[in-house]
Amino acid sequence: MNSPLALVVLAPELLMAVAAMLLLMLGVFGGNKSARLVGVLAVAVMLAAACIVSQMEGMRYVVFNSMFVHDSFAKFVKVVVLVGAALAVMLSWGYNERARIAQPEYPVLIMLATLGMMLMVSANDMLALYVGLELQSLALYVLAAFKRDDARAAEAGLKYFVLGALSSGVLLYGVSLIYGFTGTTNFDVLRSVVGEETAPQMAVIFGLVFIVAGLAFKIAAVPFHMWTPDVYEGSPTPVTAFFAAAPKVAATALLVRVLMEPFAGMAGQWQQIVVFASIASMIIGSFTAIWQTNIKRLMAYSSIGHIGFALVGLAPGTIEGVQGVLIYMAVYFINSLGAFGVILCLRHKGQMIEKIEDLAGLSKSRPMLALAMVIFMFSLAGVPPLAGFFGKFFVFMPAIEAGMYQLAIIGVLMSAVSAYYYLRIIKLMYFDEAKVAIDPVPEFSLRAVLSVSAFYIMLFCFAPVPIINAAQRAAASLLAAQ
């Protein structure tokens, strides 16, 4: 479909692109004094875009010469990504001003990265996928090194850029192989070609492996996870919070779309890769996090483990599994933002503290902050009735129903292992003596994000139906395209 209606389908992306350019011009003429205003307007635009997306029909529209698709799957993921990005900008206001990096470019870069994510999840062609992925990645490289005077941030940005460029090369190599063997990069055509008995299966598998490897880097799945701890630790903490939320959701959704649409006919082949990445991510993420002394590195390894849990839902290749992945990521992004919100509050005499041992005695000096951290840690561990429990339930059940008992059992065991380091933080906060006094939390925006996140995690069990139904419609729309 190529008509003026196509512009309506693309309206949220156009809004984000135009607003980003206007806010950039506002920042150019307003200077650093306009940073807070640009940030507020960026949040308003992203929430407005989320409202527009949520009001759009869930019908499948394929526009711009089959390069761009809108369906319930894209709709669900875009709302999550836009809300996650808006909350991440709100988390950054106080920190950026104290660290003297409050510049209007910061929210604009987050908007451009979010725009790239929106294009990624609506890609219906390998080239559209690559354009969206690179738009997101280029903005994220700059954000990682946004604190230019900090050596750790510069190192994090450089590492992320070099390894990200390598993964992009791997992805492009896979795309070129697929094009060479099938003669197309369009998802719809690829799906029909791959399903034919005469298709060069072994050759296509070769290209598929490179594509999955490139996307595995973006979601930090083992064995392409090595960049995560260093980038999480070196980047400014609000940037790390953003990394753990929106890009993680978008990249996971992209992997799901690529495997479940153009390569649906090769499920038997890619399932082996997904199962390996899932098991390896759960084991390495869970065990390695135990030995961490820096809270941001612990969260980095925790995120690797959680990607492994999410992939448990993708492995069966069923509608219930895709639904489970979407629910899991919708819970995980708000959990991560909440946990990083608490980390942003950990300041002693105005200086950020990142050692886990410095959380000792937090319940006595900042009881509400400690309570919020308990909620996020218990949820990440999968303790019922918090939201994290339901996330794991909805990814483990499809694996069990598909007969993947070993994968589900390993997932449960690694959940028990990961509970150790989450409980260790709670034990430090409530049973150990304080070593440093934590400063009060002055910012209203930070308190607001923490409150919203904590209530979402606690109250999810009372009203899970809207999210479960939305995830079910999203998964059904993805499989209906086959």
Side-chain angles (χ1 to χ4, degrees):
M1 181 180 63
N2 286 310
S3 67
L5 187 60
L7 297 177
V8 177
V9 174
L10 204 66
E13 285 79 5
L14 291 174
L15 172 64
M16 289 287 290
V18 172
M21 294 301 105
L22 291 176
L23 291 180
L24 184 62
M25 295 306 296
L26 177 61
V28 169
F29 290 106
N32 289 346
K33 293 180 181 177
S34 64
R36 178 60 76 99
L37 174 62
V38 173
V40 171
L41 292 174
V43 170
V45 170
M46 287 189 277
L47 293 179
C51 290
I52 294 173
V53 174
S54 64
Q55 295 302 313
M56 294 173 75
E57 294 180 12
M59 292 178 61
R60 179 181 170 86
Y61 293 102
V62 181
V63 297
F64 296 109
N65 293 321
S66 298
M67 300 281 279
F68 185 92
V69 62
H70 170 80
D71 53 14
S72 291
F73 181 80
K75 178 180 171 181
F76 182 93
V77 178
K78 285 178 187 176
V79 171
V80 172
V81 164
L82 285 163
V83 172
L87 293 177
V89 172
M90 291 176 66
L91 280 178
S92 69
W93 287 338
Y95 177 93
N96 285 359
E97 289 170 0
R98 284 191 301 276
R100 298 182 180 179
I101 55 172
Q103 298 170 358
E105 295 91 336
Y106 182 87
V108 173
L109 283 168
I110 287 189
M111 287 184 71
L112 293 174
T114 308
L115 174 62
M117 296 173 212
M118 295 169 73
L119 294 174
M120 279 164 50
V121 298
S122 278
N124 197 46
D125 190 284
M126 290 293 179
L127 297 181
L129 178 158
Y130 184 73
V131 170
L133 194 63
E134 286 307 295
L135 176 58
Q136 173 213 242
S137 299
L138 289 173
L140 295 184
Y141 299 150
V142 180
L143 283 170
F146 201 76
K147 203 173 181 181
R148 288 177 296 178
D149 297 333
D150 187 282
R152 290 194 311 168
E155 181 185 348
L158 186 61
K159 281 184 179 177
Y160 195 24
F161 172 71
V162 172
L163 294 174
L166 177 65
S167 73
S168 295
V170 171
L171 177 68
L172 270 183
Y173 184 59
V175 172
S176 65
L177 287 176
I178 292 292
Y179 178 73
F181 293 130
T182 64
T184 183
T185 56
N186 184 269
F187 286 2
D188 296 331
V189 182
L190 263 177
R191 184 167 55 245
S192 59
V193 171
V194 168
E196 294 175 358
E197 294 182 357
T198 56
Q201 292 290 335
M202 187 54 68
V204 175
I205 291 172
F206 200 61
L208 174 62
V209 169
F210 281 95
I211 291 176
V212 173
L215 294 178
F217 174 90
K218 303 300 180 185
I219 61 172
V222 176
F224 304 100
H225 65 291
M226 66 293 289
W227 60 273
T228 316
D230 291 341
V231 173
Y232 271 44
E233 183 183 7
S235 302
T237 305
V239 174
T240 311
F242 179 60
F243 284 169
K248 189 81 81 177
V249 174
T252 306
L254 178 63
L255 178 65
V256 171
R257 186 184 284 282
V258 168
L259 294 181
M260 296 297 293
E261 279 195 348
F263 298 108
M266 301 176 68
Q269 284 73 38
W270 59 253
Q271 276 176 335
Q272 300 172 43
I273 305 173
V274 171
V275 168
F276 167 77
S278 174
I279 293 174
S281 299
M282 287 189 290
I283 292 176
I284 291 178
S286 299
F287 277 105
T288 315
I290 293 174
W291 313 110
Q292 302 307 312
T293 56
N294 182 291
I295 187 74
K296 289 168 72 177
R297 288 187 76 87
L298 183 145
M299 291 301 295
Y301 283 107
S302 167
S303 75
I304 294 168
H306 280 282
I307 277 298
F309 293 126
L311 292 179
V312 172
L314 176 60
T318 60
I319 185 171
E320 292 80 10
V322 174
Q323 178 190 1
V325 174
L326 293 174
I327 294 172
Y328 193 91
M329 297 312 293
V331 170
Y332 177 71
F333 97 96
I334 200 80
N335 229 326
S336 295
L337 282 174
F340 275 103
V342 174
I343 295 171
L344 277 167
C345 297
L346 300 177
R347 293 195 304 275
H348 174 62
K349 296 181 179 179
Q351 299 297 316
M352 291 291 301
I353 55 175
E354 296 179 357
K355 290 183 179 177
I356 294 175
E357 62 184 14
D358 290 336
L359 273 75
L362 185 66
S363 63
K364 299 179 181 65
S365 57
R366 302 287 168 226
M368 296 308 294
L369 201 58
L371 178 62
M373 195 61 159
V374 168
I375 293 169
F376 299 130
M377 292 296 106
F378 272 141
S379 181
L380 286 170
V383 175
L386 300 175
F389 167 77
F390 294 95
K392 289 185 177 175
F393 175 81
F394 279 102
V395 293
F396 288 158
M397 284 307 294
I400 294 171
E401 290 169 358
M404 295 179 165
Y405 301 114
Q406 297 90 339
L407 184 59
I409 291 171
I410 292 172
V412 173
L413 291 175
M414 289 306 106
S415 292
V417 172
S418 65
Y420 170 79
Y421 53 82
Y422 294 131
L423 292 175
R424 176 182 157 215
I425 293 175
I426 296 172
K427 177 254 181 188
L428 274 170
M429 292 190 300
Y430 280 86
F431 298 103
D432 287 16
E433 291 298 323
K435 294 184 177 179
V436 295
I438 304 298
D439 296 346
V441 184
E443 299 100 1
F444 171 76
S445 59
L446 193 50
R447 292 199 299 269
V449 173
L450 276 176
S451 302
V452 169
S453 304
F455 279 113
Y456 176 88
I457 296 299
M458 285 192 300
L459 302 179
F460 181 85
C461 63
F462 294 107
V465 176
I467 292 180
I468 292 173
N469 287 345
Q472 189 176 31
R473 287 194 295 273
S477 73
L478 196 65
L479 272 72
Q482 297 177 13

